[in-house]
Amino acid sequence: MEMPFQPNEGKNLEIDTDFGRFARYPVKTHVITKDDVISDVLDKYVKEYLEDGDTIIISEKIIAISQGRAFPIDEIKVSRLAKFLSRFVVKTNYGIGLGMPETMELCIREVGRPKVLFAAACAAVGKLFGKRGVFYNICGMKARAIDGPCDYTLPPYNRYAKMAPDRPDEVAAELTKHIGHDVVIIDANDIAATVLGVCRKDYPAEFASQVFSDNPLDQCSQQTPIAIVRKVS
């Protein structure tokens, strides 16, 4: 079937990987909310275009949103610890991360105060020796995938902070069973693509990381949180 999807501005439709050359078709959807069921979203926007061998890659953001794990920042009650620790987070151009009190508060709730305090102490020591990323390495994916509002984020989520998706492997497996194609949940930006959920234990996560290494869905106003990935013959 001829695909009606076009690459996002500044992005390529195809990419070469160690697994071959693949096309990534960005699928535009409505603005996903906590009232949406992702299997229904796949049925509505993706199902009719699928062919044998296709993989569906989904942004972790809409999974988290559909699970009710995104919160308006003005509704997040921030602790003194979150205010203090957020001051030491390095800010980047690729997202807030834990660099604001509201997102740090979500990290404390998700990971637990003892682990966060331990990670912060280790990170302080690591900085003395020029080591970065210690905090995230200790707190893990649940902390790394937390993000806050950015001006370029699609409204209303430019005023929201969100946690990582809950049970991403289980969600990927359930969606795979529903749609009949491999589903991968990924956290991608212009620095890296991190696989958060795979449909089965032996799924090659490196494949999804390479296919999404240039962040083809972007994360601005494109409204394309899903991609159909197809090998190019």
Side-chain angles (χ1 to χ4, degrees):
M1 176 185 293
E2 184 176 350
M3 302 294 273
F5 312 112
Q6 300 297 319
N8 285 318
E9 184 177 356
K11 303 293 182 178
N12 296 319
L13 184 66
E14 299 180 359
I15 190 171
D16 288 311
T17 74
D18 293 340
F19 301 86
R21 187 170 183 83
F22 289 84
R24 297 82 46 85
Y25 298 102
V27 179
K28 190 167 186 175
T29 69
H30 63 275
V31 178
I32 304 300
T33 73
K34 62 182 178 60
D35 297 320
D36 282 295
V37 178
I38 299 300
S39 57
D40 293 342
V41 174
L42 294 182
D43 288 343
K44 182 177 181 179
Y45 295 103
V46 176
K47 188 174 182 179
E48 67 176 298
Y49 300 106
L50 293 171
E51 295 183 357
D52 290 345
D54 286 352
T55 296
I56 302 167
I57 296 184
I58 304 178
S59 167
E60 54 86 24
K61 182 171 289 186
I62 67 166
I63 302 297
I65 289 170
S66 71
Q67 293 175 333
R69 292 170 64 80
F71 311 92
I73 56 172
D74 57 3
E75 295 181 9
I76 301 172
K77 187 176 180 180
V78 176
S79 64
R80 286 183 293 178
L81 177 62
K83 291 178 182 178
F84 175 73
L85 292 180
S86 64
R87 293 163 46 197
F88 301 96
V89 177
V90 176
K91 311 298 191 298
T92 73
N93 295 325
Y94 301 100
I96 296 291
L98 303 181
M100 64 184 298
E102 289 82 1
T103 53
M104 182 62 76
E105 179 63 32
L106 293 185
C107 180
I108 293 169
R109 297 179 189 179
E110 183 80 332
V111 179
R113 183 179 292 259
K115 192 169 187 176
V116 167
L117 286 170
F118 175 71
C122 291
V125 174
K127 284 185 178 180
L128 296 176
F129 296 93
K131 292 185 177 181
R132 294 182 177 273
V134 174
F135 183 92
Y136 289 105
N137 289 338
I138 293 173
C139 289
M141 179 274 290
K142 287 185 175 182
R144 197 181 298 274
I146 291 172
D147 206 359
C150 298
D151 292 339
Y152 55 74
T153 302
L154 184 72
Y157 299 110
N158 57 339
R159 297 297 299 166
Y160 274 61
K162 67 154 195 69
M163 292 177 171
D166 186 36
R167 304 174 295 105
D169 286 333
E170 292 181 34
V171 173
E174 291 168 1
L175 292 174
T176 294
K177 183 177 181 180
H178 171 81
I179 201 73
H181 289 260
D182 287 343
V183 173
V184 179
I185 299 169
I186 201 164
D187 180 12
N189 55 40
D190 289 337
I191 298 178
T194 303
V195 174
L196 301 188
V198 292
C199 50
R200 57 182 186 275
K201 290 182 179 180
D202 62 346
Y203 187 88
E206 181 61 25
F207 163 73
S209 295
Q210 290 189 26
V211 164
F212 259 54
S213 61
D214 60 342
N215 192 21
L217 295 183
D218 218 331
Q219 59 251 32
C220 301
S221 59
Q222 291 82 357
Q223 211 168 310
T224 54
I226 302 170
I228 297 172
V229 177
R230 181 173 299 165
K231 191 164 188 178
V232 178
S233 58

